[in-house]
Amino acid sequence: MAWLVTASGALLVLVILRDVFHTLWHPTRHGGLSRLVMRTVWRVSAHRGSRRRPAGLAGPLGMVAVVAVWALTVAVGWALVYWPHMPDDFSYASGLAPGEHASPVDALYVSLVTLATLGLGDIAPTTGWLRVLAPMEALVGFVLLSATVAWILGVYPALARRRTLALRLSHLRRSATTTRSLESGGGAAMLDGLASGLATVTVDFMQYAESYYFHDADEHTALPRQLGYALGLAARAAEADRPDVRFSASVLDRALDDLAGVLDERFLRTGGGPERIFAAFARDHGQPWGPDGPPPARGRG
């Protein structure tokens, strides 16, 4: 029975390490514990009765919740490893009665102290394999801290790139770009720049899927609100007379298709085309679509 408890604890630790690995260094569409926590926080915030996410806190709170779950689960896992071997395989500081400090709570205390690398030493393992295991837990604690910092440093630049692209689309939308204005080398270059930005955002959604759960309240930096305009822009540019503009329009259209595919495969599951997917994306983020979204396409002016 003791070894079963120990094996269960080791399994918990391995599950968390696997989730950290797949969240930061090998993201997959299969998700994991971190995705589940982020999605749960996102859905809970959606049921608060407000069209807009409360103060846009779903994403940051979700990340805090993920880190808390990682740390707590690792601590519990290592506590399950220690507990069956207490008090016989542990030394106690003077003044501590071993028989009175061998409960699951004491095992959790030892685990938390070790994970946080505090090294208080009032309860310490004495058996050989446990003495090796304790420093390994401290190493895992350091890995979790480093992983949290790396996660933050990765997600927030991805959000900045997404918001920059949305703002660029908003600029074009408010400038009333016409089909005639696209009939130039500058128009082709502009379309190429948008396609490049969309490709970057698509990769960000694959690499940092958690960035999806961040809400942008400002309409000009909210990408879900601007994608309808990007679809219309690509359609208008496809009718241009200049071959280079038509080619750039086809590249932009493909970039929009790729972004829609990633959004649908990993988050939305609509099974529809780009327009339907982007409409679902906008609804999920509390942004208008249709008559309240991008303006209708302008003809040649």
Side-chain angles (χ1 to χ4, degrees), residues 198-258:
L198 284 165
T200 300
V201 169
T202 300
V203 173
D204 284 338
F205 276 126
M206 291 189 292
Q207 186 70 31
Y208 301 104
E210 296 75 18
S211 64
Y212 175 89
Y213 303 107
F214 281 73
H215 173 70
D216 295 309
D218 189 320
E219 63 176 284
H220 300 304
T221 58
L223 185 61
R225 188 184 180 102
Q226 307 298 334
L227 287 173
Y229 174 75
L231 283 172
L233 191 65
R236 277 184 284 151
E239 299 175 355
D241 295 330
R242 290 176 58 110
D244 58 337
V245 174
R246 292 198 303 271
F247 176 74
S248 296
S250 68
V251 174
L252 176 59
D253 190 60
R254 177 54 58 189
L256 287 164
D257 284 346
D258 288 345

Short mmCIF file of all heavy atoms in Angstrom, two decimals, residues 198-258:
data_model
loop_
_atom_site.label_atom_id
_atom_site.label_comp_id
_atom_site.label_asym_id
_atom_site.label_seq_id
_atom_site.Cartn_x
_atom_site.Cartn_y
_atom_site.Cartn_z
N LEU A 198 -0.78 38.35 -40.29
CA LEU A 198 -1.71 37.25 -40.01
C LEU A 198 -0.96 35.94 -39.82
O LEU A 198 -1.33 35.13 -38.96
CB LEU A 198 -2.71 37.12 -41.16
CG LEU A 198 -3.82 38.17 -41.21
CD1 LEU A 198 -4.51 38.17 -42.56
CD2 LEU A 198 -4.84 37.91 -40.09
N ALA A 199 0.09 35.72 -40.62
CA ALA A 199 0.89 34.51 -40.46
C ALA A 199 1.55 34.46 -39.07
O ALA A 199 1.58 33.42 -38.41
CB ALA A 199 1.96 34.42 -41.55
N THR A 200 2.04 35.61 -38.62
CA THR A 200 2.66 35.68 -37.29
C THR A 200 1.65 35.39 -36.20
O THR A 200 1.93 34.62 -35.27
CB THR A 200 3.28 37.07 -37.07
OG1 THR A 200 4.28 37.32 -38.05
CG2 THR A 200 3.90 37.17 -35.69
N VAL A 201 0.45 35.96 -36.32
CA VAL A 201 -0.59 35.73 -35.32
C VAL A 201 -1.03 34.27 -35.33
O VAL A 201 -1.31 33.68 -34.29
CB VAL A 201 -1.78 36.67 -35.59
CG1 VAL A 201 -2.99 36.28 -34.74
CG2 VAL A 201 -1.38 38.11 -35.28
N THR A 202 -1.09 33.67 -36.52
CA THR A 202 -1.46 32.25 -36.61
C THR A 202 -0.46 31.38 -35.86
O THR A 202 -0.85 30.48 -35.10
CB THR A 202 -1.53 31.82 -38.09
OG1 THR A 202 -2.50 32.61 -38.77
CG2 THR A 202 -1.91 30.35 -38.21
N VAL A 203 0.81 31.65 -36.05
CA VAL A 203 1.84 30.90 -35.32
C VAL A 203 1.74 31.15 -33.83
O VAL A 203 1.91 30.23 -33.01
CB VAL A 203 3.24 31.27 -35.85
CG1 VAL A 203 4.33 30.64 -34.98
CG2 VAL A 203 3.41 30.83 -37.30
N ASP A 204 1.44 32.38 -33.44
CA ASP A 204 1.28 32.70 -32.01
C ASP A 204 0.14 31.89 -31.39
O ASP A 204 0.25 31.41 -30.26
CB ASP A 204 1.01 34.20 -31.83
CG ASP A 204 2.26 35.04 -31.99
OD1 ASP A 204 3.37 34.49 -31.83
OD2 ASP A 204 2.13 36.24 -32.29
N PHE A 205 -0.96 31.73 -32.12
CA PHE A 205 -2.07 30.94 -31.59
C PHE A 205 -1.68 29.47 -31.46
O PHE A 205 -2.21 28.76 -30.59
CB PHE A 205 -3.30 31.08 -32.49
CG PHE A 205 -4.14 32.28 -32.19
CD1 PHE A 205 -4.46 33.18 -33.19
CD2 PHE A 205 -4.61 32.53 -30.91
CE1 PHE A 205 -5.24 34.31 -32.92
CE2 PHE A 205 -5.37 33.65 -30.62
CZ PHE A 205 -5.69 34.54 -31.63
N MET A 206 -0.79 28.99 -32.30
CA MET A 206 -0.33 27.61 -32.19
C MET A 206 0.70 27.47 -31.07
O MET A 206 0.68 26.50 -30.31
CB MET A 206 0.27 27.14 -33.51
CG MET A 206 -0.75 26.98 -34.63
SD MET A 206 -0.09 26.19 -36.11
CE MET A 206 1.05 27.45 -36.71
N GLN A 207 1.61 28.43 -30.97
CA GLN A 207 2.68 28.35 -29.99
C GLN A 207 2.22 28.76 -28.60
O GLN A 207 2.64 28.18 -27.59
CB GLN A 207 3.85 29.24 -30.43
CG GLN A 207 5.08 29.14 -29.55
CD GLN A 207 5.80 27.82 -29.69
OE1 GLN A 207 5.78 27.21 -30.76
NE2 GLN A 207 6.42 27.35 -28.62
N TYR A 208 1.37 29.77 -28.52
CA TYR A 208 0.87 30.27 -27.24
C TYR A 208 -0.66 30.26 -27.28
O TYR A 208 -1.29 31.31 -27.38
CB TYR A 208 1.39 31.68 -26.97
CG TYR A 208 2.90 31.77 -26.94
CD1 TYR A 208 3.60 32.32 -28.01
CD2 TYR A 208 3.62 31.29 -25.85
CE1 TYR A 208 4.98 32.39 -28.00
CE2 TYR A 208 5.00 31.36 -25.83
CZ TYR A 208 5.68 31.91 -26.90
OH TYR A 208 7.04 31.97 -26.89
N ALA A 209 -1.22 29.07 -27.25
CA ALA A 209 -2.68 28.93 -27.35
C ALA A 209 -3.39 29.68 -26.23
O ALA A 209 -4.53 30.14 -26.39
CB ALA A 209 -3.07 27.46 -27.32
N GLU A 210 -2.73 29.86 -25.09
CA GLU A 210 -3.35 30.55 -23.96
C GLU A 210 -3.64 32.01 -24.29
O GLU A 210 -4.49 32.63 -23.64
CB GLU A 210 -2.43 30.46 -22.73
CG GLU A 210 -2.22 29.05 -22.21
CD GLU A 210 -1.28 28.21 -23.06
OE1 GLU A 210 -0.51 28.82 -23.85
OE2 GLU A 210 -1.31 26.97 -22.96
N SER A 211 -2.95 32.56 -25.28
CA SER A 211 -3.19 33.96 -25.64
C SER A 211 -4.61 34.15 -26.19
O SER A 211 -5.13 35.27 -26.19
CB SER A 211 -2.17 34.43 -26.67
OG SER A 211 -2.30 33.72 -27.90
N TYR A 212 -5.24 33.08 -26.66
CA TYR A 212 -6.62 33.20 -27.15
C TYR A 212 -7.55 33.70 -26.06
O TYR A 212 -8.53 34.41 -26.35
CB TYR A 212 -7.09 31.82 -27.64
CG TYR A 212 -8.55 31.79 -28.07
CD1 TYR A 212 -8.91 32.09 -29.38
CD2 TYR A 212 -9.57 31.49 -27.16
CE1 TYR A 212 -10.24 32.08 -29.77
CE2 TYR A 212 -10.89 31.47 -27.54
CZ TYR A 212 -11.23 31.77 -28.85
OH TYR A 212 -12.55 31.76 -29.23
N TYR A 213 -7.27 33.35 -24.81
CA TYR A 213 -8.19 33.63 -23.71
C TYR A 213 -7.98 35.01 -23.10
O TYR A 213 -8.46 35.28 -22.00
CB TYR A 213 -8.06 32.54 -22.64
CG TYR A 213 -8.32 31.16 -23.21
CD1 TYR A 213 -7.29 30.26 -23.42
CD2 TYR A 213 -9.61 30.77 -23.58
CE1 TYR A 213 -7.52 29.01 -23.96
CE2 TYR A 213 -9.85 29.53 -24.12
CZ TYR A 213 -8.80 28.65 -24.31
OH TYR A 213 -9.03 27.41 -24.86
N PHE A 214 -7.28 35.87 -23.80
CA PHE A 214 -7.13 37.26 -23.37
C PHE A 214 -8.11 38.11 -24.16
O PHE A 214 -8.15 38.05 -25.40
CB PHE A 214 -5.70 37.75 -23.59
CG PHE A 214 -4.74 37.29 -22.54
CD1 PHE A 214 -4.33 35.97 -22.49
CD2 PHE A 214 -4.26 38.17 -21.58
CE1 PHE A 214 -3.44 35.53 -21.52
CE2 PHE A 214 -3.37 37.74 -20.60
CZ PHE A 214 -2.96 36.41 -20.57
N HIS A 215 -8.88 38.90 -23.46
CA HIS A 215 -9.93 39.73 -24.07
C HIS A 215 -9.41 41.16 -24.28
O HIS A 215 -8.75 41.72 -23.40
CB HIS A 215 -11.16 39.76 -23.17
CG HIS A 215 -12.22 40.72 -23.62
ND1 HIS A 215 -12.97 40.52 -24.75
CD2 HIS A 215 -12.64 41.89 -23.09
CE1 HIS A 215 -13.82 41.51 -24.89
NE2 HIS A 215 -13.65 42.37 -23.90
N ASP A 216 -9.70 41.72 -25.46
CA ASP A 216 -9.33 43.10 -25.76
C ASP A 216 -10.60 43.94 -25.79
O ASP A 216 -11.45 43.77 -26.67
CB ASP A 216 -8.62 43.18 -27.11
CG ASP A 216 -7.29 42.45 -27.09
OD1 ASP A 216 -6.50 42.72 -26.16
OD2 ASP A 216 -7.04 41.61 -27.98
N ALA A 217 -10.72 44.85 -24.83
CA ALA A 217 -11.92 45.67 -24.75
C ALA A 217 -11.93 46.79 -25.79
O ALA A 217 -12.99 47.17 -26.27
CB ALA A 217 -12.04 46.27 -23.34
N ASP A 218 -10.77 47.31 -26.13
CA ASP A 218 -10.70 48.40 -27.11
C ASP A 218 -11.01 47.86 -28.50
O ASP A 218 -10.34 46.94 -28.99
CB ASP A 218 -9.30 49.02 -27.09
CG ASP A 218 -9.21 50.30 -27.91
OD1 ASP A 218 -9.82 50.34 -29.00
OD2 ASP A 218 -8.53 51.24 -27.47
N GLU A 219 -11.99 48.43 -29.16
CA GLU A 219 -12.41 47.92 -30.47
C GLU A 219 -11.31 48.02 -31.51
O GLU A 219 -11.25 47.21 -32.45
CB GLU A 219 -13.64 48.66 -30.97
CG GLU A 219 -13.41 50.15 -31.22
CD GLU A 219 -14.63 50.82 -31.82
OE1 GLU A 219 -14.87 50.63 -33.03
OE2 GLU A 219 -15.34 51.52 -31.06
N HIS A 220 -10.40 48.96 -31.38
CA HIS A 220 -9.36 49.14 -32.38
C HIS A 220 -8.23 48.12 -32.24
O HIS A 220 -7.50 47.88 -33.20
CB HIS A 220 -8.79 50.56 -32.31
CG HIS A 220 -9.82 51.61 -32.54
ND1 HIS A 220 -10.60 51.67 -33.67
CD2 HIS A 220 -10.21 52.67 -31.76
CE1 HIS A 220 -11.42 52.70 -33.60
NE2 HIS A 220 -11.22 53.32 -32.45
N THR A 221 -8.06 47.54 -31.06
CA THR A 221 -7.02 46.54 -30.86
C THR A 221 -7.60 45.14 -30.69
O THR A 221 -6.86 44.21 -30.34
CB THR A 221 -6.16 46.89 -29.63
OG1 THR A 221 -6.99 46.97 -28.47
CG2 THR A 221 -5.43 48.20 -29.84
N ALA A 222 -8.89 44.99 -30.93
CA ALA A 222 -9.55 43.68 -30.82
C ALA A 222 -9.54 43.02 -32.19
O ALA A 222 -10.30 43.41 -33.09
CB ALA A 222 -10.97 43.84 -30.29
N LEU A 223 -8.70 42.02 -32.38
CA LEU A 223 -8.59 41.36 -33.68
C LEU A 223 -9.91 40.73 -34.13
O LEU A 223 -10.23 40.80 -35.32
CB LEU A 223 -7.48 40.31 -33.64
CG LEU A 223 -7.17 39.63 -34.98
CD1 LEU A 223 -6.72 40.65 -36.02
CD2 LEU A 223 -6.12 38.54 -34.79
N PRO A 224 -10.70 40.10 -33.24
CA PRO A 224 -11.97 39.50 -33.71
C PRO A 224 -12.88 40.51 -34.40
O PRO A 224 -13.62 40.15 -35.32
CB PRO A 224 -12.60 38.98 -32.41
CG PRO A 224 -11.46 38.75 -31.48
CD PRO A 224 -10.47 39.84 -31.80
N ARG A 225 -12.82 41.76 -33.98
CA ARG A 225 -13.68 42.79 -34.57
C ARG A 225 -13.19 43.22 -35.95
O ARG A 225 -13.99 43.70 -36.78
CB ARG A 225 -13.74 44.00 -33.64
CG ARG A 225 -14.75 45.07 -34.04
CD ARG A 225 -14.67 46.26 -33.11
NE ARG A 225 -15.63 47.29 -33.49
CZ ARG A 225 -16.78 47.50 -32.86
NH1 ARG A 225 -17.11 46.74 -31.83
NH2 ARG A 225 -17.61 48.45 -33.26
N GLN A 226 -11.91 43.06 -36.23
CA GLN A 226 -11.33 43.58 -37.46
C GLN A 226 -11.22 42.55 -38.58
O GLN A 226 -10.97 42.92 -39.73
CB GLN A 226 -9.93 44.15 -37.17
CG GLN A 226 -9.87 45.16 -36.05
CD GLN A 226 -10.70 46.41 -36.31
OE1 GLN A 226 -10.95 46.78 -37.46
NE2 GLN A 226 -11.16 47.05 -35.23
N LEU A 227 -11.41 41.28 -38.28
CA LEU A 227 -11.17 40.24 -39.29
C LEU A 227 -12.19 40.27 -40.41
O LEU A 227 -11.89 39.89 -41.55
CB LEU A 227 -11.13 38.87 -38.62
CG LEU A 227 -9.88 38.58 -37.79
CD1 LEU A 227 -10.02 37.26 -37.04
CD2 LEU A 227 -8.64 38.55 -38.69
N GLY A 228 -13.40 40.71 -40.12
CA GLY A 228 -14.39 40.83 -41.18
C GLY A 228 -13.95 41.84 -42.24
O GLY A 228 -14.15 41.63 -43.45
N TYR A 229 -13.34 42.92 -41.79
CA TYR A 229 -12.83 43.92 -42.73
C TYR A 229 -11.70 43.32 -43.57
O TYR A 229 -11.61 43.58 -44.78
CB TYR A 229 -12.33 45.15 -41.98
CG TYR A 229 -11.66 46.15 -42.88
CD1 TYR A 229 -12.42 46.96 -43.74
CD2 TYR A 229 -10.28 46.27 -42.91
CE1 TYR A 229 -11.81 47.86 -44.59
CE2 TYR A 229 -9.65 47.16 -43.76
CZ TYR A 229 -10.42 47.96 -44.60
OH TYR A 229 -9.80 48.85 -45.46
N ALA A 230 -10.85 42.51 -42.94
CA ALA A 230 -9.75 41.87 -43.68
C ALA A 230 -10.29 40.95 -44.77
O ALA A 230 -9.75 40.90 -45.89
CB ALA A 230 -8.86 41.10 -42.72
N LEU A 231 -11.37 40.23 -44.49
CA LEU A 231 -11.99 39.38 -45.50
C LEU A 231 -12.50 40.21 -46.68
O LEU A 231 -12.30 39.87 -47.84
CB LEU A 231 -13.15 38.59 -44.89
CG LEU A 231 -12.81 37.39 -44.01
CD1 LEU A 231 -14.07 36.85 -43.34
CD2 LEU A 231 -12.15 36.29 -44.84
N GLY A 232 -13.18 41.32 -46.37
CA GLY A 232 -13.69 42.19 -47.42
C GLY A 232 -12.58 42.82 -48.24
O GLY A 232 -12.68 42.97 -49.47
N LEU A 233 -11.49 43.19 -47.56
CA LEU A 233 -10.36 43.80 -48.25
C LEU A 233 -9.74 42.82 -49.23
O LEU A 233 -9.41 43.18 -50.37
CB LEU A 233 -9.33 44.25 -47.21
CG LEU A 233 -8.19 45.15 -47.71
CD1 LEU A 233 -8.73 46.49 -48.19
CD2 LEU A 233 -7.18 45.36 -46.58
N ALA A 234 -9.58 41.57 -48.81
CA ALA A 234 -9.01 40.55 -49.70
C ALA A 234 -9.92 40.32 -50.90
O ALA A 234 -9.45 40.15 -52.04
CB ALA A 234 -8.80 39.25 -48.93
N ALA A 235 -11.23 40.32 -50.68
CA ALA A 235 -12.18 40.11 -51.77
C ALA A 235 -12.12 41.25 -52.79
O ALA A 235 -12.16 41.03 -54.01
CB ALA A 235 -13.59 39.96 -51.22
N ARG A 236 -12.02 42.49 -52.31
CA ARG A 236 -11.95 43.63 -53.21
C ARG A 236 -10.64 43.64 -54.00
O ARG A 236 -10.62 43.92 -55.20
CB ARG A 236 -12.10 44.93 -52.43
CG ARG A 236 -13.55 45.30 -52.15
CD ARG A 236 -13.63 46.64 -51.45
NE ARG A 236 -13.26 46.52 -50.06
CZ ARG A 236 -12.72 47.52 -49.35
NH1 ARG A 236 -12.46 48.67 -49.93
NH2 ARG A 236 -12.44 47.36 -48.08
N ALA A 237 -9.55 43.33 -53.31
CA ALA A 237 -8.24 43.33 -53.97
C ALA A 237 -8.16 42.23 -55.02
O ALA A 237 -7.43 42.36 -56.01
CB ALA A 237 -7.13 43.16 -52.93
N ALA A 238 -8.89 41.14 -54.83
CA ALA A 238 -8.88 40.06 -55.81
C ALA A 238 -9.48 40.48 -57.15
O ALA A 238 -9.26 39.83 -58.18
CB ALA A 238 -9.64 38.86 -55.26
N GLU A 239 -10.25 41.58 -57.16
CA GLU A 239 -10.88 42.07 -58.39
C GLU A 239 -10.06 43.18 -59.04
O GLU A 239 -10.51 43.77 -60.03
CB GLU A 239 -12.28 42.60 -58.07
CG GLU A 239 -13.21 41.53 -57.49
CD GLU A 239 -14.55 42.12 -57.07
OE1 GLU A 239 -14.69 43.36 -57.16
OE2 GLU A 239 -15.42 41.35 -56.66
N ALA A 240 -8.90 43.46 -58.51
CA ALA A 240 -8.07 44.55 -59.05
C ALA A 240 -7.55 44.18 -60.44
O ALA A 240 -7.47 43.01 -60.82
CB ALA A 240 -6.91 44.84 -58.10
N ASP A 241 -7.16 45.19 -61.21
CA ASP A 241 -6.62 44.97 -62.55
C ASP A 241 -5.15 44.58 -62.52
O ASP A 241 -4.68 43.85 -63.40
CB ASP A 241 -6.80 46.24 -63.40
CG ASP A 241 -8.27 46.57 -63.64
OD1 ASP A 241 -9.08 45.62 -63.69
OD2 ASP A 241 -8.60 47.77 -63.76
N ARG A 242 -4.42 45.06 -61.54
CA ARG A 242 -2.98 44.80 -61.47
C ARG A 242 -2.72 43.37 -61.02
O ARG A 242 -3.26 42.92 -60.00
CB ARG A 242 -2.31 45.77 -60.50
CG ARG A 242 -2.24 47.21 -61.00
CD ARG A 242 -1.64 48.10 -59.92
NE ARG A 242 -0.31 47.66 -59.53
CZ ARG A 242 0.83 48.30 -59.81
NH1 ARG A 242 0.78 49.43 -60.52
NH2 ARG A 242 1.98 47.85 -59.39
N PRO A 243 -1.88 42.61 -61.75
CA PRO A 243 -1.60 41.22 -61.36
C PRO A 243 -0.93 41.11 -59.99
O PRO A 243 -1.20 40.18 -59.24
CB PRO A 243 -0.66 40.73 -62.46
CG PRO A 243 -0.93 41.63 -63.62
CD PRO A 243 -1.27 42.96 -63.03
N ASP A 244 -0.04 42.07 -59.67
CA ASP A 244 0.65 41.99 -58.39
C ASP A 244 -0.32 42.19 -57.22
O ASP A 244 -0.19 41.57 -56.16
CB ASP A 244 1.79 43.00 -58.31
CG ASP A 244 1.33 44.43 -58.53
OD1 ASP A 244 0.26 44.63 -59.14
OD2 ASP A 244 2.03 45.37 -58.08
N VAL A 245 -1.33 43.04 -57.41
CA VAL A 245 -2.33 43.24 -56.36
C VAL A 245 -3.19 41.99 -56.20
O VAL A 245 -3.50 41.57 -55.09
CB VAL A 245 -3.21 44.47 -56.68
CG1 VAL A 245 -4.34 44.60 -55.65
CG2 VAL A 245 -2.35 45.74 -56.67
N ARG A 246 -3.57 41.38 -57.34
CA ARG A 246 -4.36 40.15 -57.26
C ARG A 246 -3.58 39.03 -56.59
O ARG A 246 -4.13 38.25 -55.80
CB ARG A 246 -4.81 39.72 -58.65
CG ARG A 246 -5.82 40.66 -59.31
CD ARG A 246 -6.55 39.96 -60.46
NE ARG A 246 -5.62 39.45 -61.47
CZ ARG A 246 -5.19 40.15 -62.51
NH1 ARG A 246 -5.60 41.41 -62.67
NH2 ARG A 246 -4.36 39.62 -63.39
N PHE A 247 -2.28 38.97 -56.90
CA PHE A 247 -1.46 37.94 -56.27
C PHE A 247 -1.36 38.17 -54.76
O PHE A 247 -1.50 37.23 -53.96
CB PHE A 247 -0.07 37.93 -56.89
CG PHE A 247 0.88 36.96 -56.24
CD1 PHE A 247 0.76 35.60 -56.45
CD2 PHE A 247 1.88 37.41 -55.38
CE1 PHE A 247 1.62 34.69 -55.84
CE2 PHE A 247 2.74 36.52 -54.77
CZ PHE A 247 2.62 35.15 -55.00
N SER A 248 -1.13 39.43 -54.37
CA SER A 248 -1.06 39.74 -52.94
C SER A 248 -2.39 39.46 -52.26
O SER A 248 -2.43 39.01 -51.11
CB SER A 248 -0.67 41.20 -52.75
OG SER A 248 0.64 41.45 -53.24
N ALA A 249 -3.49 39.69 -52.98
CA ALA A 249 -4.81 39.39 -52.42
C ALA A 249 -4.98 37.90 -52.18
O ALA A 249 -5.56 37.48 -51.17
CB ALA A 249 -5.91 39.90 -53.35
N SER A 250 -4.47 37.09 -53.11
CA SER A 250 -4.58 35.63 -52.92
C SER A 250 -3.75 35.16 -51.73
O SER A 250 -4.15 34.26 -51.00
CB SER A 250 -4.15 34.91 -54.20
OG SER A 250 -2.75 35.06 -54.44
N VAL A 251 -2.59 35.80 -51.52
CA VAL A 251 -1.76 35.46 -50.36
C VAL A 251 -2.48 35.85 -49.08
O VAL A 251 -2.49 35.09 -48.10
CB VAL A 251 -0.39 36.15 -50.46
CG1 VAL A 251 0.42 35.92 -49.18
CG2 VAL A 251 0.39 35.64 -51.67
N LEU A 252 -3.07 37.04 -49.06
CA LEU A 252 -3.82 37.48 -47.89
C LEU A 252 -5.01 36.54 -47.62
O LEU A 252 -5.28 36.19 -46.47
CB LEU A 252 -4.32 38.91 -48.11
CG LEU A 252 -5.22 39.50 -47.00
CD1 LEU A 252 -4.50 39.50 -45.66
CD2 LEU A 252 -5.69 40.90 -47.36
N ASP A 253 -5.70 36.13 -48.69
CA ASP A 253 -6.83 35.22 -48.52
C ASP A 253 -6.37 33.89 -47.93
O ASP A 253 -7.04 33.32 -47.06
CB ASP A 253 -7.49 35.00 -49.88
CG ASP A 253 -8.81 34.25 -49.75
OD1 ASP A 253 -9.72 34.75 -49.07
OD2 ASP A 253 -8.92 33.15 -50.33
N ARG A 254 -5.22 33.40 -48.39
CA ARG A 254 -4.68 32.15 -47.83
C ARG A 254 -4.29 32.32 -46.37
O ARG A 254 -4.51 31.42 -45.56
CB ARG A 254 -3.49 31.70 -48.67
CG ARG A 254 -2.79 30.44 -48.15
CD ARG A 254 -3.75 29.29 -47.96
NE ARG A 254 -4.44 28.96 -49.20
CZ ARG A 254 -5.45 28.10 -49.25
NH1 ARG A 254 -5.91 27.55 -48.15
NH2 ARG A 254 -6.02 27.83 -50.42
N ALA A 255 -3.71 33.47 -46.03
CA ALA A 255 -3.34 33.73 -44.63
C ALA A 255 -4.59 33.75 -43.74
O ALA A 255 -4.57 33.23 -42.62
CB ALA A 255 -2.59 35.05 -44.52
N LEU A 256 -5.68 34.33 -44.24
CA LEU A 256 -6.93 34.34 -43.48
C LEU A 256 -7.48 32.92 -43.32
O LEU A 256 -7.99 32.55 -42.26
CB LEU A 256 -7.95 35.23 -44.19
CG LEU A 256 -7.70 36.74 -44.09
CD1 LEU A 256 -8.53 37.50 -45.12
CD2 LEU A 256 -8.00 37.25 -42.68
N ASP A 257 -7.38 32.12 -44.37
CA ASP A 257 -7.83 30.72 -44.29
C ASP A 257 -7.03 29.95 -43.24
O ASP A 257 -7.59 29.17 -42.47
CB ASP A 257 -7.67 30.03 -45.65
CG ASP A 257 -8.75 30.45 -46.64
OD1 ASP A 257 -9.76 31.05 -46.22
OD2 ASP A 257 -8.57 30.19 -47.85
N ASP A 258 -5.72 30.17 -43.23
CA ASP A 258 -4.88 29.46 -42.25
C ASP A 258 -5.23 29.86 -40.82
O ASP A 258 -5.31 29.02 -39.93
CB ASP A 258 -3.41 29.74 -42.53
CG ASP A 258 -2.92 29.05 -43.79
OD1 ASP A 258 -3.61 28.14 -44.29
OD2 ASP A 258 -1.84 29.44 -44.30
#
